[in-house]
Amino acid sequence: AASGPSSAEVHAEARAAARQAAERARGSGCPFDDHTAFGANKEDMAARPRHTPPRAPEARAAMEVAKDMGRQNRIAQQKFGAGTPWDAPETGAVPSCGSGAAAYQQAVAAT
């Protein structure tokens, strides 16, 4: 009787196929990324950085501008919040309508 492959051989074949599929899945490129048919060469397809980092003097100048803007914002916030008369605590009876305000002023003037 002819015997087929042993279980160890079948297992080894399956592992090799799985390893090959995993390597193919981890591949760095997509088959649709090949643009050589459109005239692209190796330099065109090379990975490029998304942006170049600023040089040291430019970065320093940008940092100084950001600090100055932050300082100006902080000063402006303090200025705008400092002199708000409606935040001051009320003293005494405060009238709620116009006629009451006139009567209140007359009472204060008489005292």
Side-chain angles (χ1 to χ4, degrees):
S3 80
S6 70
S7 64
E9 290 172 338
V10 171
H11 185 67
E13 252 181 70
R15 288 188 63 116
R19 190 177 314 114
Q20 188 179 20
E23 287 174 7
R24 200 174 312 124
R26 273 193 301 256
S28 63
C30 174
F32 301 109
D33 287 342
D34 184 16
H35 298 289
T36 54
F38 305 109
N41 56 20
K42 292 291 181 188
E43 292 88 31
D44 294 334
M45 293 187 293
R48 294 187 192 108
R50 300 216 178 234
H51 66 68
T52 57
R55 287 181 246 132
E58 293 171 356
R60 193 173 301 116
M63 187 66 163
E64 289 299 321
V65 168
K67 281 183 183 178
D68 288 341
M69 288 178 69
R71 190 176 305 117
Q72 289 172 357
N73 288 342
R74 198 168 38 255
I75 290 169
Q77 288 170 350
Q78 290 172 354
K79 280 184 183 176
F80 293 152
T84 53
W86 53 86
D87 286 342
E90 298 177 357
T91 56
V94 178
S96 61
C97 64
S99 62
Y104 177 73
Q105 286 177 352
Q106 287 175 357
V108 169
T111 358

